[in-house]
Amino acid sequence: MTTTTPPIVLVFAGTDPTGGAGLQADVLTLASLGCHPLSVVTAVTVQDTVGVDDFLPMEADWIADQARSVLEDMPVAAIKIGMIGSVEAVAAIAEVVSDYPDIPLVLDPVLTSGRGDPLANEELMRAMIDLLLPQTTVLTPNSLEARRLAESFEDDEDDESETGDEATELSTCARRLIDLGCEYVLITGAHEQGTQVVNTLYNTRGVVHRQNWERLPGSYHGSGCTLAAALAGFLALGQDVDEAAREAQAYTWQTLKHAYRPGMGQHIPDRMYWVHGDDDEE
Ligand code: PXL
């Protein structure tokens, strides 16, 4: 007797021993949504819930080999890329995913940890823009990442909109990122001011949707990974990008609302909140 295989999602991610972010966040999120996660390790980090102390990038060939083995064996419904670790790894991953142009690709452009420890340098960021953005279905930067990515290729003639309010500025970033080749950009607004967190999905025609969320009080480790993995999961479950992005935000907000604080640093989103019951205690 065989049961039906759940939709399969391939993730490229760094491991996080705290279970808060990275590969562990992706696996928990995808399992929670009823998907089967395939996991390709791109780096090993040393960290606790306070911050990242160090990381060891995986050799690029090893990343490509891990991915090719499973891609040749199983039908993958969506791919998610998180922390990449090295420029060589960007090139290796870009080459692998270019053989699967029909699989939706979610790219979470991880530049720093939640605390701000660097997880990517300028060179890696450029490689990500050049090699991965044109293959990306949905890019999921927070507002800080969106500005850094958009500004990194700002050319001198393009000096418009240096003034203007925050919303205009982020929409300019979104347009630039879309001009670089990704289909959609979901910019999250937790780092912006305001009682609400405003997340906006853009495509070539402009704003697809804008969603406001009650700002929760904690500082969270792995919220971006959770959102991007959930988005990949909902795409794998057959939703279109607009719907998948809405559902991923709603799911992530619930995981943050039910977050717990197991250590001395940030809160960890509860990807399994629905298993743990509806107790509202922090
Ligand atoms: O949240 C971004 C992130 C992604 N991947 C790994 C991380 C972090 C943040 O700490 O450790 C492995």
Side-chain angles (χ1 to χ4, degrees):
M1 235 191 327
T2 53
T3 36
T4 314
T5 302
I8 296 174
V9 179
L10 170 63
V11 305
F12 292 87
T15 68
D16 173 3
T18 71
L23 185 54
Q24 287 78 355
D26 295 346
V27 167
L28 280 166
T29 299
L30 291 164
S32 173
L33 299 186
C35 294
H36 176 78
L38 305 179
S39 43
V40 170
V41 178
T42 56
V44 174
T45 68
V46 177
Q47 61 179 305
D48 56 22
T49 58
V50 178
V52 180
D53 288 327
D54 210 350
F55 68 88
L56 178 70
M58 178 69 56
E59 259 182 53
D61 285 352
W62 277 73
I63 295 173
D65 288 350
Q66 291 177 74
R68 288 204 186 281
S69 296
V70 290
L71 278 161
E72 282 160 24
D73 184 32
M74 288 172 264
V76 170
I79 298 176
K80 186 225 150 173
I81 303 174
M83 178 182 175
I84 299 177
S86 73
V87 173
E88 294 75 20
V90 176
I93 294 172
E95 199 182 323
V96 171
V97 298
S98 72
D99 287 340
Y100 299 86
D102 297 332
I103 304 179
L105 175 66
V106 176
L107 175 61
D108 181 15
V110 175
L111 304 180
T112 62
S113 73
R115 188 180 66 171
D117 316 280
L119 295 175
N121 59 22
E122 291 291 316
E123 201 192 346
L124 195 154
M125 194 165 81
R126 294 293 319 198
M128 203 154 67
I129 291 172
D130 290 342
L131 303 177
L132 286 174
L133 234 60
Q135 305 193 59
T136 296
T137 312
V138 194
L139 181 73
T140 62
N142 62 38
S143 54
L144 308 180
E145 292 164 340
R147 290 196 182 93
R148 268 187 69 190
L149 289 165
E151 283 163 13
S152 76
F153 71 94
E154 211 166 44
D155 32 283
D156 299 335
E157 359 56 270
D158 196 7
D159 57 351
E160 30 140 6
S161 79
E162 286 314 308
T163 55
D165 63 18
E166 220 81 300
T168 314
E169 195 197 322
L170 286 176
S171 64
T172 305
C173 294
R175 202 186 55 238
R176 288 192 183 150
L177 295 169
I178 284 169
D179 286 346
L180 287 171
C182 58
E183 259 181 79
Y184 291 83
V185 186
L186 174 61
I187 302 184
T188 56
H191 293 87
E192 303 300 297
Q193 301 296 319
T195 52
Q196 304 257 304
V197 171
V198 183
N199 300 335
T200 312
L201 179 71
Y202 303 86
N203 68 4
T204 45
R205 277 173 281 157
V207 174
V208 177
H209 72 233
R210 179 166 275 138
Q211 298 223 291
N212 287 22
W213 299 93
E214 176 195 333
R215 187 181 287 279
L216 293 163
S219 164
Y220 304 99
H221 180 56
S223 51
C225 304
T226 303
L227 178 70
L231 178 47
F234 285 116
L235 291 173
L237 288 160
Q239 296 182 359
D240 64 26
V241 172
D242 183 3
E243 185 62 19
R246 289 173 191 274
E247 293 261 2
Q249 290 173 65
Y251 169 80
T252 303
W253 192 83
Q254 286 299 328
T255 70
L256 300 181
K257 183 159 186 274
H258 293 89
Y260 41 82
R261 189 171 182 232
M264 289 179 279
Q266 294 182 298
H267 288 73
I268 289 185
D270 186 2
R271 269 70 55 146
M272 293 303 200
Y273 66 87
W274 55 271
V275 176
H276 298 148
D278 210 11
D279 148 4
D280 264 357
E281 245 91 283
E282 305 286 71

